[in-house]
Amino acid sequence: MPEAPPWRQFGRRDPRRSGAVPSDPYRPYLIDQPQIDVVNAALHLRRPLLVTGHPGTGKSSLAYAIAHEMDLGRVLRWPVNSRSTLAEALYQYDAVGRLRETTLSHDRGDQPPDIGRFIRLGPLGTALLPADRPRVLLVDELDKGDVDLPNDLLTVFEEGEFEIPELSRLPAGQDEALVHTTRGTEPQPVVGGFVRCREFPVVVITSNGEREFPPAFLRRCLRLHLPDPDEPRLRAIVAAHLGPEAVPQVDDLIQTFLARRAPGELATDQLLNAAHLRLGGVDLDAEGLLEAVLHQLGGAV
């Protein structure tokens, strides 16, 4: 197999980073000072960052860049779709599994299993666990969710806490449980059924602009729009991912990309794919190959 593109290599870590929570693979990320100022403002104010822009402008990648630059460990990602609910992002309780295990323990004469074994925090719930340093939460494509989902998030974002009723109903003195978290981190204690953050997580919310959000939700977010990269920025992106020596070899691909691109019709990673193939010796002039790589993102397939 040929070497994978740098942005499609998995299981590799940045050797410069270490900590209790493993980092995501490092990928270069370029951003202008005006956008940096908005990100820093969201960090100072402990407010969610609502990021908009066409596909391929780096909305989701921004969360990973923030986690890398601030050494905040792996990003907690919540991919939103039309069936997503706030409850599943907070936690899931396996009542059937607990009933089965309790019955088996009773038949064996053992103590019933701890309730915490059957509770797993979702990405939002894990992000709200108390810690000295915040976690980074990526709420990806919120505009694909139910119309009421943004309003459902308001209370959690304002209060920085949520309740697990299955634990809060436990009697005093028996209301501490070790619950599972997302992304395979160690089980964490929850006391009294309430999860309350000490440091509000770094929340990056992406939207493709498919619908509007309610004013009450927008008031609690800082908005950042990522523009389509121009020619100098595209050259810088290619150099950052593939090396400065790659830019002269793919100049014609950059010009072809710019000529074909209409707003929202091509993504920057498509140019990187074509550049990687060119540098790997693949003949992009072969019939249909360049068209397959730089295909439009809109319309019927």
Side-chain angles (χ1 to χ4, degrees):
M1 290 291 292
E3 175 109 11
W7 53 92
R8 293 295 295 170
Q9 295 177 1
F10 305 98
R12 302 184 184 183
R13 304 296 174 203
D14 181 2
R16 295 170 293 175
R17 302 289 180 173
S18 61
V21 180
S23 301
D24 285 291
Y26 171 66
R27 300 180 180 91
Y29 190 84
L30 303 181
I31 189 172
D32 292 329
Q33 190 59 48
Q35 285 85 42
I36 293 175
D37 293 339
V38 177
V39 173
N40 287 336
L43 296 175
H44 280 287
L45 295 173
R46 307 307 199 264
R47 287 291 186 181
L49 188 65
L50 178 59
V51 187
T52 58
H54 292 131
T57 52
K59 299 186 297 295
S60 301
S61 299
L62 177 58
Y64 295 90
I66 294 173
H68 170 78
E69 292 297 330
M70 300 185 66
D71 200 12
L72 295 178
R74 303 184 71 179
V75 173
L76 301 166
R77 180 172 176 263
W78 178 23
V80 176
N81 56 51
S82 59
R83 300 177 300 278
S84 297
T85 64
L86 175 62
E88 72 177 24
L90 293 174
Y91 77 98
Q92 294 181 332
Y93 171 55
D94 184 5
V96 175
R98 186 189 180 198
L99 176 61
R100 181 179 61 250
E101 292 295 325
T102 301
T103 301
L104 292 174
S105 298
H106 181 270
D107 293 341
R108 294 192 301 262
D110 298 333
Q111 291 292 324
D114 185 79
I115 187 175
R117 289 177 48 189
F118 306 97
I119 294 177
R120 179 176 296 277
L121 300 182
L124 176 54
T126 301
L128 291 173
L129 283 169
D132 294 331
R133 305 200 69 200
R135 297 291 300 272
V136 178
L137 172 67
L138 170 61
V139 184
D140 215 4
E141 300 188 338
L142 182 61
D143 52 331
K144 293 187 180 300
D146 184 81
V147 66
D148 292 325
L149 186 56
N151 282 328
D152 294 339
L153 288 168
L154 290 181
T155 301
V156 176
F157 282 163
E158 282 298 294
E159 302 296 334
E161 67 176 21
F162 68 97
E163 181 184 8
I164 303 177
E166 290 82 3
L167 298 181
S168 60
R169 290 194 291 262
L170 296 176
Q174 304 176 26
D175 56 352
E176 179 175 349
L178 285 175
V179 301
H180 298 283
T181 60
T182 194
R183 295 213 72 168
T185 54
E186 293 294 324
Q188 297 293 318
V190 174
V191 180
F194 278 88
V195 176
R196 182 180 296 108
C197 67
R198 286 201 296 266
E199 281 288 342
F200 188 75
V202 179
V203 181
V204 177
I205 304 170
T206 71
S207 170
N208 290 321
E210 295 186 5
R211 64 176 177 82
E212 296 182 355
F213 295 118
F217 176 79
L218 295 176
R219 180 171 63 84
R220 291 165 169 83
C221 299
L222 269 70
R223 301 184 66 175
L224 172 63
H225 181 76
L226 297 180
D228 294 327
D230 56 13
E231 182 174 346
R233 175 49 58 87
L234 288 174
R235 293 179 180 275
I237 291 173
V238 171
H241 285 271
L242 299 174
E245 68 282 355
V247 178
Q249 303 179 56
V250 299
D251 183 75
D252 61 319
L253 293 178
I254 295 176
Q255 299 305 321
T256 300
F257 179 85
L258 289 170
R260 293 187 177 199
R261 184 179 69 178
E265 291 298 325
L266 288 177
T268 306
D269 60 342
Q270 293 174 285
L271 172 61
L272 291 174
N273 290 337
H276 178 76
L277 290 175
R278 166 71 60 79
L279 296 174
V282 177
D283 181 14
L284 286 173
D285 293 329
E287 182 179 359
L289 182 55
L290 185 61
E291 187 68 32
V293 177
L294 298 182
H295 62 86
Q296 291 188 341
L297 302 180
V301 177

